[in-house]
Amino acid sequence: IIRAMPNDDAVDILQEITPEEAKRILGELPQDAETKSLHELFIEAPDTAAGIMSPHFICVSQNATIADVLEKLKQAHEYDFVYYTYLVNDDKALVGVVSIKMLLLNSHTPERPLKEFALIDEIKSVHESFDQELVANIFRKYYNLLALPVVGDHDELLGIVTFDDVIDVIDEESREDLYRTSGIRMEEAIDERNLLTGKAIYAFRARVPWLSVTLIGQLLVATIIGVFNETVSTAVAAFSFLPLLCGLSGNVGAQSDTISVRGIALEMIHPENIVKQVSRELRVAAMIGGVFALVLGTASYLMYHHVLLSTILVAYVFLSNCISASMGVIIPYTIKYVFRQDPAGIGGPFITTGMDLVMYTSYLWLISQLAERMI
């Protein structure tokens, strides 16, 4: 089965099984050029352009004619990607590309050199070390491409990444980001299959780490409540609104974090526009906070007819939304561009737990200072 598959798909299968099993299968294959190519792809990092590229493409000398290419197409392997023909120089460096459409339109002049109508100056290519998510983003940017050539350090043509491989990458990355934003940590031994239907221990290992962050944070919150126990018992009405304030600010921060992680992944948020992005998110949070502050202030006054309490709630809703929203942008940005890590799923628990700590501490301290006027 491995032998009958295209090499890039075969490598995907081999990388899903244990290294020992993969080596055994590779050892049983005929030791020819196809198996050598499979070996080379297998040892590449699976999440890079080199790891997802295909060795099946049409490549000719930069001095080739239309007739040369048409003859080569007749001899093409069934897995060869024939929609583009790549031109290389004597050092195997990529110097041009011709689409099959242009080839057919000019087929009435078979002796015409390809380089006369080949795309030379604007060749889109990716380095072999590029992360697969970056490759997918390049496909998004140049959405009319069917394949991207993969080159080495000296622009030598190594392979191509085709659109069907990129669709698999987008699906994989989106799936990982979906789980990470919920605090579910995926790793090599815990794929989606194990998470959904595998042993319970796999789901346990994937879900516990970030829940532990929440547990520790809430234990600190419980300690803070204990410190202000007298305030809680005497100003019950004021304390009853605290879970609402924390929940609202936490959700605003989680929304901002999700949007920012997606923007960073699509390279729409970067060092050049981070200030503008934070400013925009603050404006959105101010509008949300203004609406909810008005609603909560009115509701609390109708419930308790307490002007000071309503004023405090209005101020807290507005300010906490703005702070939480800005954290939702700054934290994933810092994780990505300062610590060079994938921000998906990391910022959410810290934002919600951090806002809980800030809100409980500052709110209860303020209420304790105004205790006599809050009763």
Side-chain angles (χ1 to χ4, degrees), residues 349-370:
F350 285 107
I351 293 171
T352 53
T353 303
M355 285 304 299
D356 281 354
L357 290 172
V358 171
M359 294 293 289
Y360 271 86
T361 303
S362 62
Y363 185 79
L364 288 176
W365 176 84
L366 180 61
I367 297 302
S368 68
Q369 299 303 304
L370 302 173

Side-chain angles (χ1 to χ4, degrees), residues 105-348:
L105 288 175
N106 291 277
S107 60
H108 61 284
T109 55
E111 299 307 316
R112 186 181 180 188
L114 285 178
K115 60 184 178 183
E116 289 187 4
F117 58 92
L119 181 63
I120 302 294
D121 298 327
E122 299 181 2
I123 307 174
K124 305 297 186 298
S125 64
V126 293
H127 190 269
E128 60 179 325
S129 63
F130 280 14
D131 185 87
Q132 63 177 11
E133 192 169 5
L134 176 57
V135 177
N137 286 339
I138 293 174
F139 262 90
R140 287 191 185 101
K141 185 175 182 180
Y142 304 106
Y143 58 88
N144 58 329
L145 294 177
L146 298 176
L148 270 174
V150 180
V151 298
D153 292 332
H154 304 289
D155 289 332
E156 67 274 20
L157 182 59
L158 304 175
I160 61 171
V161 177
T162 57
F163 68 95
D164 56 322
D165 294 320
V166 169
I167 290 174
D168 291 338
V169 170
I170 293 173
D171 179 59
E172 177 187 336
E173 296 289 345
S174 298
R175 189 167 59 243
E176 288 182 0
D177 288 349
L178 173 65
Y179 286 120
R180 284 176 178 173
T181 53
S182 299
I184 298 175
R185 184 169 60 92
M186 307 292 284
E187 58 187 49
E188 186 175 350
I190 307 174
D191 58 14
E192 189 172 39
R193 181 173 48 201
N194 281 327
L195 184 65
L196 296 174
T197 60
K199 296 179 180 179
I201 188 63
Y202 291 128
F204 173 83
R205 286 167 50 190
R207 296 165 66 173
V208 157
W210 289 123
L211 291 177
S212 300
V213 173
T214 304
L215 175 63
I216 294 171
Q218 294 306 316
L219 284 174
L220 292 174
V221 169
T223 303
I224 292 169
I225 294 175
V227 171
F228 292 99
N229 183 55
E230 184 177 344
T231 301
V232 172
S233 61
T234 55
V236 176
F239 180 77
S240 67
F241 287 100
L242 191 48
L244 184 153
L245 295 174
C246 293
L248 189 58
S249 62
N251 284 330
V252 168
Q255 287 181 341
S256 296
D257 176 70
T258 300
I259 293 171
S260 299
V261 168
R262 185 59 177 167
I264 290 171
L266 296 177
E267 298 184 332
M268 297 174 68
I269 298 178
H270 43 77
E272 286 73 25
N273 70 350
I274 181 61
V275 174
K276 180 180 179 181
Q277 189 64 29
V278 172
S279 175
R280 179 186 178 278
E281 199 63 28
L282 279 172
R283 290 197 302 271
V284 174
M287 288 188 285
I288 295 172
V291 171
F292 286 137
L294 180 62
V295 172
L296 182 58
T298 302
S300 64
Y301 183 78
L302 293 175
M303 292 170 64
Y304 297 107
H305 300 287
H306 201 300
V307 175
L308 179 58
L309 174 59
S310 298
T311 303
I312 292 173
L313 292 175
V314 166
Y316 259 82
V317 168
F318 184 82
L319 293 174
S320 64
N321 273 264
C322 292
I323 295 171
S324 186
S326 59
M327 288 174 61
V329 181
I330 294 171
I331 288 179
Y333 174 85
T334 303
I335 293 170
K336 175 64 177 181
Y337 289 102
V338 176
F339 296 102
R340 304 294 179 183
Q341 299 293 319
D342 188 348
I346 299 179

Side-chain angles (χ1 to χ4, degrees), residues 81-107:
F81 193 86
V82 300
Y83 299 100
Y84 296 121
T85 297
Y86 298 99
L87 281 63
V88 296
N89 60 20
D90 294 338
D91 296 323
K92 304 300 182 183
L94 178 66
V95 295
V97 60
V98 175
S99 69
I100 194 170
K101 176 182 178 181
M102 292 300 296
L103 193 65
L104 294 176
L105 288 175
N106 291 277
S107 60

